Amino acid sequence: MTFSRPIELKNTVLAAGKEPLVCTPLVGADEDAVFRELAAILPKKPDLLEWRVDFFVGIADVARVVALCRAIQEKSGGVPLVFTRRSIREGGNPIVLDEAQVFELCAAVCRSGAVDLLDYELSVGEDYFGQAVGLARETGVRLIASFHNFQETPSAEALVAKFVAMEKAGADLVKIAVMPRELRDVLTLLDATLTAQSAVSVPVISMSMGGFGSLSRLFGWVFGSSVSFAVGEASSAPGQVPIEQLNAVVDVVHRCLKGQ
């Protein structure tokens, strides 16, 4: 039995009944690199695309970022797009923008109508996150509250409390990624994901990172994680597996759960 919740995007429900949704990252440094990634990824039929704008050399040019979002939207044929700036404190690349400028960039992108989901870190603080909630309500873009710990895996109780805090802060989806120091830490993450199904009412996304953590990317959806991130062309985080391998494993597990 699986527990993942559907993800509602504006007036549609994304891939209702499909578990997990598969998201592939775009990490190209410029437009040509992003378009090459798209050409390689789209035939693999991801359910979602994530543009990691902190990899993009033109991040300080708002018009250029918006234009590329629109180009991704057009070239992908409408595959829902997640817009993500990952901060240095949570494993992202250094950028020239401060937090106020990052928020203005997010606002411009959301108001352009070219993205469907915005990933925004809860650690930005109550003021900025509150503004992101207002932006999401204004534009209809779904807000993913995210938290990343590249050093360790907190306790299951702490992870569930973080999920609850994210929903309380106004998120439409809640996402946690942690680093396991030992195999048992992956069980901690999966346990927290399962417990979160009764602790929050919004879709949950969770993953362990690194080699041990790749197991959560393959099987985490059984415990309630709605989305798994997979490599389409290039990885955006440690432990991501190629989309073809993820789909093969998911297919086997689905058939086992159905008793086939």
Side-chain angles (χ1 to χ4, degrees):
M1 181 176 180
T2 54
F3 301 90
S4 302
R5 297 186 176 99
I7 296 174
E8 298 180 358
L9 300 179
K10 297 179 181 176
N11 297 321
T12 188
V13 177
L14 179 60
K18 183 181 185 300
E19 296 174 302
L21 299 175
V22 177
C23 182
T24 56
L26 300 169
V27 296
D30 57 25
E31 288 84 352
D32 288 343
V34 170
F35 295 153
R36 286 195 297 270
E37 286 181 313
L38 276 174
I41 289 170
L42 291 175
K44 302 173 185 180
K45 301 186 183 305
D47 300 297
L48 292 160
L49 295 167
E50 179 189 40
W51 183 23
R52 279 285 303 275
V53 73
D54 52 295
F55 282 87
F56 185 55
V57 296
I59 190 171
D61 187 335
V62 174
R64 185 176 171 186
V65 171
V66 169
L68 185 48
C69 280
R70 287 178 171 149
I72 294 169
Q73 182 184 55
E74 180 180 354
K75 289 179 179 294
S76 69
V79 176
L81 180 61
V82 183
F83 185 76
T84 301
R85 178 289 318 250
R86 186 66 60 237
S87 70
I88 297 176
R89 65 180 174 272
E90 297 201 15
N93 291 320
I95 60 173
V96 298
L97 307 180
D98 62 25
E99 198 59 47
Q101 292 169 317
V102 167
F103 181 79
E104 288 306 313
L105 178 65
C106 292
V109 166
C110 290
R111 288 170 181 147
S112 74
V115 301
D116 301 276
L117 302 106
L118 171 66
D119 181 311
Y120 204 55
E121 296 162 1
L122 190 67
S123 63
V124 296
E126 186 175 337
D127 182 43
Y128 279 118
F129 196 85
Q131 291 182 60
V133 171
L135 176 66
R137 302 297 178 265
E138 171 197 334
T139 61
V141 171
R142 298 301 184 186
L143 179 62
I144 305 171
S146 63
F147 168 75
H148 305 75
N149 187 326
F150 277 76
Q151 284 71 50
E152 62 182 356
T153 299
S155 69
E157 293 78 11
L159 294 175
V160 172
K162 184 72 71 174
F163 281 131
V164 171
M166 290 172 168
E167 182 180 28
K168 186 176 180 180
D172 300 303
L173 301 90
V174 293
K175 174 190 171 189
I176 288 178
V178 292
M179 185 65 74
R181 292 181 172 177
E182 59 180 355
L183 191 56
R184 189 175 301 277
D185 289 339
V186 180
L187 297 178
T188 297
L189 182 279
L190 296 175
D191 180 42
T193 304
L194 186 60
T195 301
Q197 302 311 303
S198 58
V200 300
S201 60
V202 297
V204 170
I205 304 170
S206 70
M207 67 214 71
S208 283
M209 296 181 283
F212 288 149
S214 62
L215 296 170
S216 71
R217 299 180 186 277
L218 297 170
F219 307 113
W221 58 275
V222 179
F223 296 81
S225 181
S226 297
V227 177
S228 187
F229 289 75
V231 178
E233 178 67 8
S235 173
S236 63
Q240 289 178 359
V241 298
I243 188 172
E244 300 91 340
Q245 295 178 17
L246 174 62
N247 286 336
V249 172
V250 168
D251 180 63
V252 170
V253 176
H254 268 301
R255 285 190 277 113
C256 289
L257 291 174
K258 293 177 181 177
Q260 298 179 2

